[in-house]
């Protein structure tokens, strides 16, 4: 494999001149540049990126660590990757499943300088086990965490969920069922707190109907439609953990001959593409902007800059699954 010295010898120039041509840095006459570029082409020279990265002390590669795919995670991945690419960074995705060691393997790559920074979407290991890695490079998470070392771009789901509950109440719903996601995360706990405060505000019985937990997919929503069909006292509103759950609920209800919102109202959460396509009333959760902020936090630390973050707010998007 050809190297810079081989190119310099064949072109009749110094190694420094070849380096200036390759790196496009420093003055080289047009005639000499063309001569060097011709030799580079003839020798099929490819720069050793590992050597370049070692010299610069940066790989221009960021890692994203996630346990699984979901609609909202896909939106986040896209937003972060596009932001990174605009600044010349590549992105490597680490899918960990439920394997804690795979998550640690990604963090170990940061320690070994094989990555410049890490975005942790949903953690598997304890924060105390992950925080020491911050001395090797910037780490940002999407999860809600109180840490002096790992910044988060989370938004308080209490505020967004309360918007949906208030909308259901304003449209006449008094018998509301919550379709929560995983209760191990702080986001779901914030939603549950919002519901209790909502019931207290309007003097509603929070235990009038069962409140579902651990629902994350459209299949989960489909099962709830069948559950609703079997009830003698039927709820008139559903606040869901995601647009995917809401989509499953309303599409299966339609198959069962149930009209939404005549029979019951549904509010989704996220405002991803499926909510627009199925005309689902939802809470706009600016996932892509959070992803852009996540990259900005990493980029600022790597480049010692102070680029501002995008302001984030929840918004209700009224469509046709509520009255």
């Amino acid at each position: 494999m050809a190297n810079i010295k081989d190119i310099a010898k064949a072109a009749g120039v110094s190694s420094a001149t070849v380096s200036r041509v390759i790196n496009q840095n420093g003055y080289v006459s047009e005639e000499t540049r063309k001569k060097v570029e011709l030799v580079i082409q003839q020798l099929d020279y490819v720069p050793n990126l590992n050597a370049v990265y070692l010299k610069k002390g940066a790989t221009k590669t960021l890692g994203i660590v996630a346990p699984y795919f979901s609609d909202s995670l896909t939106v986040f991945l896209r937003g972060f990757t596009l932001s990174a690419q605009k600044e010349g960074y590549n992105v490597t995705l680490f899918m960990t499943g439920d394997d804690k060691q795979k998550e640690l393997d990604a963090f170990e790559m940061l320690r070994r300088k094989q990555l410049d920074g890490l975005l942790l979407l949903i953690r598997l290991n304890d924060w105390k086990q992950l925080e020491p890695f911050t001395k090797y490079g910037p780490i940002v998470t999407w999860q809600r965490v109180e840490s002096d070392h790992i910044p988060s771009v989370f938004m308080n789901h209490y505020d967004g969920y309360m918007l949906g509950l208030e909308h259901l109440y304003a449209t006449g719903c008094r018998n509301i069922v919550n379709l929560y996601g995983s209760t191990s995360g702080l986001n779901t706990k914030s939603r549950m707190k919002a519901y209790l405060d909502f019931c207290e505000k309007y003097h509603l019985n929070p235990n009038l109907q069962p409140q579902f937990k651990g629902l994350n997919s459209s299949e989960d929503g489909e099962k709830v439609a069948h559950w609703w069909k079997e009830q003698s006292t039927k709820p008139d509103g559903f606040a869901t953990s995601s647009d995917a759950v809401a989509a499953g609920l309303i599409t299966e209800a339609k198959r069962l001959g149930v009209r939404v919102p005549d029979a019951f109202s549904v509010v989704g959460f996220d405002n991803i593409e499926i909510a627009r396509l199925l005309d689902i009333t939802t809470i706009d959760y600016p996932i892509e902007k959070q992803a852009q902020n996540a990259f900005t936090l990493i980029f600022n630390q790597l480049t010692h800059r102070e680029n501002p973050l995008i302001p984030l707010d929840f918004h209700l998007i009224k469509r046709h699954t509520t009255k």
Side-chain angles (χ1 to χ4, degrees):
M1 183 179 293
N3 56 38
I4 288 179
K5 289 183 179 180
D6 296 329
I7 298 170
K9 183 177 179 180
V13 298
S14 68
S15 296
T17 298
V18 176
S19 179
R20 286 196 292 270
V21 172
I22 292 172
N23 296 311
Q24 298 182 352
N25 182 23
Y27 174 76
V28 178
S29 70
E30 187 63 24
E31 180 182 355
T32 300
R33 182 181 301 278
K34 289 181 179 180
K35 184 192 300 183
V36 172
E37 288 175 345
L38 178 61
V39 173
I40 288 173
Q41 185 178 2
Q42 290 172 342
L43 296 181
D44 194 23
Y45 170 77
V46 179
N48 185 333
L49 291 182
N50 288 330
V52 173
Y53 295 152
L54 184 62
K55 183 178 179 180
K56 293 183 176 180
T59 66
K60 298 295 286 186
T61 300
L62 305 176
I64 299 178
V65 187
Y68 51 78
F69 277 117
S70 70
D71 293 330
S72 57
L73 286 182
T74 300
V75 174
F76 199 104
L77 290 171
R78 182 183 66 219
F80 183 87
T81 300
L82 290 176
S83 296
Q85 288 176 342
K86 287 180 181 178
E87 296 295 341
Y89 286 85
N90 295 315
V91 175
T92 298
L93 177 62
F94 299 88
M95 298 301 296
T96 60
D98 293 321
D99 191 336
K100 292 183 178 181
Q101 185 56 50
K102 287 184 178 180
E103 182 176 86
L104 292 175
D105 290 343
F107 278 73
E108 186 64 21
M109 289 185 68
L110 180 68
R111 188 179 75 84
R112 295 178 181 177
K113 305 302 181 184
Q114 294 173 284
L115 299 169
D116 292 343
L118 273 177
L119 168 64
L120 177 63
L121 292 181
I122 299 175
R123 70 173 174 87
L124 299 176
N125 292 280
D126 292 335
W127 290 118
K128 290 182 179 179
Q129 194 171 3
L130 301 176
E131 283 183 345
F133 286 91
T134 56
K135 64 186 175 184
Y136 304 115
I139 300 171
V140 174
T141 183
W142 191 21
Q143 280 192 286
R144 184 173 176 179
V145 57
E146 295 179 359
S147 171
D148 295 330
H149 306 286
I150 300 178
S152 172
V153 292
F154 85 95
M155 296 175 67
N156 191 340
H157 283 218
Y158 180 100
D159 301 323
Y161 205 69
M162 185 63 82
L163 280 177
L165 293 170
E166 289 281 4
H167 176 67
L168 288 172
Y169 188 87
T171 55
C173 297
R174 299 295 182 269
N175 190 351
I176 298 171
V177 170
N178 295 277
L179 308 183
Y180 296 120
S182 171
T183 56
S184 62
L186 293 176
N187 285 337
T188 297
K189 292 177 181 178
S190 292
R191 296 182 184 196
M192 296 171 73
K193 177 67 165 57
Y195 179 64
L196 291 176
D197 290 349
F198 166 79
C199 289
E200 182 177 357
K201 176 181 178 180
Y202 291 110
H203 308 289
L204 300 175
N205 179 5
N207 301 312
L208 186 62
Q209 292 284 354
Q211 308 302 316
F212 293 82
K213 300 173 184 178
L215 277 60
N216 297 294
S217 67
S218 57
E219 290 81 4
D220 292 331
E222 291 172 353
K223 293 174 183 177
V224 174
H226 288 273
W227 171 86
W228 182 91
K229 189 81 170 179
E230 296 169 355
Q231 303 310 301
S232 55
T233 302
K234 300 184 185 300
D236 56 8
F238 288 94
T240 69
S241 61
S242 68
D243 290 333
V245 173
L249 173 57
I250 64 172
T251 53
E252 189 65 13
K254 183 177 180 180
R255 295 187 193 103
L256 295 172
V258 178
R259 295 175 61 110
V260 177
D262 295 341
F264 58 80
S265 294
V266 179
V267 174
F269 201 99
D270 287 336
N271 193 30
I272 60 176
E273 185 68 4
I274 194 172
R276 184 187 67 81
L277 293 174
L278 296 180
D279 218 12
I280 300 172
T281 295
T282 189
I283 303 302
D284 181 47
Y285 180 37
I287 298 173
E288 194 154 342
K289 291 180 180 179
Q290 290 175 82
Q292 293 169 3
N293 282 348
F295 173 75
T296 298
L297 288 171
I298 292 176
F299 185 66
N300 282 351
Q301 188 170 335
L302 290 173
T303 60
H304 308 289
R305 301 186 189 183
E306 296 184 359
N307 293 324
L309 300 181
I310 303 171
L312 303 175
D313 291 297
F314 291 102
H315 298 283
L316 175 80
I317 307 296
K318 171 71 172 70
R319 295 192 177 106
H320 289 94
T321 56
T322 56
K323 297 177 182 178

